[in-house]
Amino acid sequence: MNFEMSETRRAIAHSIREFSKKHIKPFMMDWDENQTFPEDLFHQLGEMGYMGVLVPEEYGGSGMDYHEYITVIEEISKVDSSIGLSLAAHNSLCTNHILEFGNEEQKQKWLPKLAHGEWIGAWGLTEHNTGSDAGGMSTTAVKDGDYYIINGAKNFITHGISGNIAVVIVRTGEKGDSRGMTAFAIEKGTPGFSSGKKEDKMGMRASETAELIFDNCRVHKDNILGEVGEGFIQSMKVLDGGRISIGALSLGISKGSYEAALKYAQEREQFGKSISKFQAIGFKLADMATEIEASELLLHKAAHDKAKGEKITQIGAMAKMYSSEVCVKIANEALQIHGGYGYTKDFPVEKFYRDAKLCTIGEGTTEIQKLVISRNLLK
């Protein structure tokens, strides 16, 4: 592996920092307070090429690699992890599912709109009673000639209201059968397809999370991604890459928290000196910096293996698990360093603290990552 940051990644980081300074930072606390999803911002990100990071240029994307993708998500998340989460979900879940498993006609039809930011994508696997147990889903698709009739609901869906297209995995066979589920791409406005309750969340509040509801929704067989019965297997492969996304999101939160804590520790004086001079604070900063370095190395190892075409189930789960658990710890320590001020909305660590916890839950809980890792180790 080459540990040098490429010129492309440096340029991406600079571009996002400048964009965030102007278009995100001044408004982020208002979005957070009012749980506003800033849809126009994502159209702007699309114009910059960040809504189709992994999409080849022939489909209107930027054709970047996973190292560059990590940089995109990380840099956005250092400022506002809500925006980082939405950008990650759009790129790695909905868009990437179509890229990986759609046929040529489907790719030509949907990818340019998603990559340009004209459309925002959603992806639906989770249901009310099936979180980690996705194979037990109840939403069904019943064949009716050239169409499928879909009934049921999906829960905790990023962009469940604002998304223009959703890739959803529904049951076409027996419950619990890994080959009894199928992926459909369904456009907003399709009769019988609607949005439900918007979740009022502790953190990541500017990233919209809502239900998808299907009431006798008729979807043509041409909207099936891949083959009937492949949906669950496809989704597991999509989540392998998605774990790099959540790891990058976690890394951004860790770096944002650490940088805020370092700055505050150097500026804040107690007992006649900067609190950074106290060993208790210095040791916290040392732990945080080391854990950030380890997270980054794990993530780029996963990206390296992905680029080589190797299976990344294990290393992706390791990177996601470690980075997400560490980001919760670092956000907590950053708040502690700020003392009482950290508990106020005047300093950024309060928001990082609230946002961080989702990273240990979304796209596979820490417990599921340990299950994935242990199963791979024991094969």
Side-chain angles (χ1 to χ4, degrees), residues 135 170 224 246 321:
V170 299
I224 292 173
I246 300 300
M321 179 185 75

Side-chain angles (χ1 to χ4, degrees), residues 83-348:
I83 305 304
L85 174 63
S86 275
L87 194 61
H90 171 92
N91 274 285
S92 72
L93 297 179
C94 177
T95 305
N96 200 45
H97 198 135
I98 295 170
L99 176 63
E100 292 290 327
F101 299 105
N103 59 38
E104 188 59 28
E105 184 180 346
Q106 291 168 334
K107 291 177 185 178
Q108 293 285 356
K109 181 179 181 182
W110 292 315
L111 287 179
K113 292 178 181 178
L114 289 164
H116 294 152
E118 181 184 342
W119 277 13
I120 293 170
W123 191 80
L125 178 65
T126 300
E127 297 185 4
H128 291 273
N129 296 316
T130 57
S132 296
D133 181 21
M137 66 178 59
S138 298
T139 301
T140 58
V142 178
K143 198 169 189 305
D144 180 25
D146 287 341
Y147 287 82
Y148 282 79
I149 311 300
I150 301 177
N151 281 288
K154 295 291 177 180
N155 195 32
F156 295 137
I157 307 305
T158 305
H159 313 142
I161 296 170
S162 299
N164 303 93
I165 185 170
V167 172
V168 294
I169 295 85
V170 299
R171 187 160 57 82
T172 48
E174 294 300 316
K175 185 174 283 194
D177 180 4
S178 64
R179 294 193 174 275
M181 288 158 274
T182 302
F184 289 83
I186 308 175
E187 295 183 20
K188 189 175 187 177
T190 300
F193 176 34
S194 62
S195 304
K197 175 191 174 187
K198 180 178 178 179
E199 301 295 340
D200 188 3
K201 300 176 298 183
M202 176 178 81
M204 301 289 191
R205 290 172 58 81
S207 179
E208 178 187 276
T209 305
E211 293 175 306
L212 297 178
I213 298 171
F214 303 93
D215 182 11
N216 290 320
C217 179
R218 287 174 60 83
V219 181
H220 197 272
K221 65 181 182 180
D222 288 349
N223 286 46
I224 292 173
L225 298 171
E227 301 296 328
V228 172
E230 291 182 348
F232 183 76
I233 291 140
Q234 290 175 6
S235 65
M236 294 301 103
K237 292 177 180 176
V238 168
L239 285 171
D240 280 348
R243 285 166 186 150
I244 295 178
S245 291
I246 300 300
L249 173 65
S250 303
L251 180 64
I253 293 172
S254 292
K255 286 190 174 182
S257 301
Y258 166 74
E259 289 171 10
L262 180 65
K263 181 175 183 289
Y264 183 83
Q266 291 172 322
E267 293 174 350
R268 172 73 165 167
E269 289 192 0
Q270 292 285 271
F271 305 103
K273 60 182 177 181
S274 159
I275 64 170
S276 64
K277 302 297 183 184
F278 292 99
Q279 192 178 71
I281 302 299
F283 279 12
K284 286 183 188 294
L285 293 169
D287 284 341
M288 293 159 79
T290 303
E291 288 160 344
I292 286 169
E293 194 75 14
S295 297
E296 196 156 22
L297 288 168
L298 267 173
L299 282 164
H300 284 286
K301 172 64 163 64
H304 175 75
D305 289 355
K306 179 80 172 171
K308 288 169 62 180
E310 295 179 7
K311 190 174 181 181
I312 63 159
T313 301
Q314 181 172 308
I315 188 66
M318 286 177 169
K320 193 272 185 188
M321 179 185 75
Y322 184 80
S323 299
S324 63
E325 287 292 333
V326 157
C327 93
V328 172
K329 180 183 173 184
I330 289 174
N332 179 58
E333 292 287 44
L335 195 152
Q336 190 73 15
I337 288 170
H338 280 71
Y341 289 111
Y343 206 66
T344 71
K345 292 183 182 290
D346 295 328
F347 288 80

Side-chain angles (χ1 to χ4, degrees), residues 27-37 198-201 205-207 345 354:
F27 314 107
M28 56 185 259
M29 293 311 294
D30 182 60
W31 296 337
D32 180 80
E33 187 71 25
N34 296 299
Q35 204 164 210
T36 302
F37 176 64
K198 180 178 178 179
E199 301 295 340
D200 188 3
K201 300 176 298 183
R205 290 172 58 81
S207 179
K345 292 183 182 290
R354 286 187 289 109

